[in-house]
Amino acid sequence: QVQLVESGGGLVQAGGSLRLSCAASVSRVSINSMGWYRQAPGKQRELVAAITSGGSTTYTDSVKGRFTISRDNAKTTVYLEMNNLKAEDTAVYYCWATTWYDYWGQGTQVTVSS
């Protein structure tokens, strides 16, 4: 069983930065990949960034060069450093982790004002 708790969302002006954190509580399983999805109003949920247990990362094209995903040594906490934020980054951001199953956090709102 995995529980995910997110923090770090908020309101920021365009060009600003935010850092999201997601801590996983795990029991009897090992987490494979972790990452962040986002969902803007009226749009489908999309993958923003992901990181494997081995440290390989992937990003959606629109955030490359601006966002950085990382993971702690225990591999139970994932971070998303978001720089040069744009209005189109406004969304609810969801933490995601996978073992044999997918697990989701409750979501944290990120609002970028232009």
Side-chain angles (χ1 to χ4, degrees):
Q1 186 75 351
V2 178
Q3 292 183 324
L4 303 174
V5 178
E6 302 139 334
S7 60
L11 173 64
V12 64
Q13 289 188 333
S17 299
L18 283 174
R19 188 188 195 215
L20 304 182
S21 300
C22 173
S25 298
V26 299
S27 174
R28 297 191 299 273
V29 295
S30 295
I31 297 175
N32 295 323
S33 295
M34 298 185 75
W36 294 91
Y37 282 70
R38 67 186 179 188
Q39 188 166 20
K43 295 188 176 181
Q44 289 188 329
R45 188 175 296 191
E46 65 168 350
L47 175 66
V48 177
I51 184 167
T52 69
S53 58
S56 297
T57 59
T58 187
Y59 298 91
T60 191
D61 286 345
S62 63
V63 308
K64 287 179 181 177
R66 300 188 297 122
F67 291 11
T68 302
I69 191 169
S70 61
R71 198 165 168 178
D72 71 335
N73 289 335
K75 301 180 181 178
T76 58
T77 302
V78 65
Y79 306 96
L80 186 67
E81 187 75 34
M82 305 185 292
N83 297 314
N84 190 21
L85 283 160
K86 304 176 180 180
E88 51 264 42
D89 295 317
T90 296
V92 177
Y93 284 69
Y94 296 92
C95 180
W96 162 79
T98 182
T99 59
W100 292 104
Y101 306 100
D102 286 340
Y103 296 89
W104 297 91
Q106 78 283 2
T108 185
Q109 178 70 46
V110 172
T111 303
V112 183
S113 62
S114 56

